[in-house]
């Protein structure tokens, strides 16, 4: 499996060229997105509307996270990272 869009170079630029930081950012954001999508799916089932379920299932959470990182919508606090033990 490979990433076609967004380009890996763009993603690494957003993560200070640190592939481990990129992985951590994408993982945490995808987890948040997955939690939000799960909540929307549960709400849509309660309301019996399949439109929201279909909209939420259109893209995978990790793909959404990478898109957000590439657009610069996901950030981190460099002070919160222990570089020596990173």
């Amino acid at each position: 499996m490979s990433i076609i869009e967004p380009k890996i170079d763009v993603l690494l630029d957003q993560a200070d060229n640190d592939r481990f930081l990129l992985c951590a950012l994408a993982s945490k954001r995808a987890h948040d997105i997955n939690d939000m999508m799960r909540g929307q799916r549960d709400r849509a089932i309660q309301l019996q509307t399949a439109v929201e379920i279909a909209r939420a299932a259109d893209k995978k959470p990790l793909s959404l996270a990478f898109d957000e990182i590439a657009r610069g919508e996901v950030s981190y606090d460099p002070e919160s990272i222990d570089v020596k033990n990173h």
Side-chain angles (χ1 to χ4, degrees):
M1 185 174 134
S2 66
I3 297 176
I4 298 172
E5 285 295 328
K7 300 288 186 193
I8 191 70
D9 295 333
V10 172
L11 292 169
L12 285 172
D13 285 344
Q14 294 293 333
D16 297 329
N17 289 316
D18 186 339
R19 61 186 174 185
F20 299 107
L21 176 59
L22 174 61
C23 181
L25 288 173
S27 174
K28 289 180 183 213
R29 183 61 186 141
H31 182 76
D32 291 344
I33 291 170
N34 195 32
D35 286 347
M36 287 188 295
M37 288 172 65
R38 188 176 304 123
Q40 289 178 354
R41 183 177 59 232
D42 292 345
R43 190 180 79 239
I45 289 170
Q46 290 174 354
L47 297 174
Q48 297 178 354
T49 60
V51 174
E52 289 184 38
I53 297 171
R55 211 177 299 149
D58 192 32
K59 285 183 97 174
K60 300 290 184 198
L62 190 58
S63 296
L64 293 170
F66 280 134
D67 288 341
E68 289 179 1
I69 291 169
R71 290 190 306 262
E73 296 173 2
V74 175
S75 63
Y76 66 98
D77 179 14
E79 298 295 320
S80 68
I81 298 173
D82 185 1
V83 177
K84 292 180 183 177
N85 295 317
H86 173 62

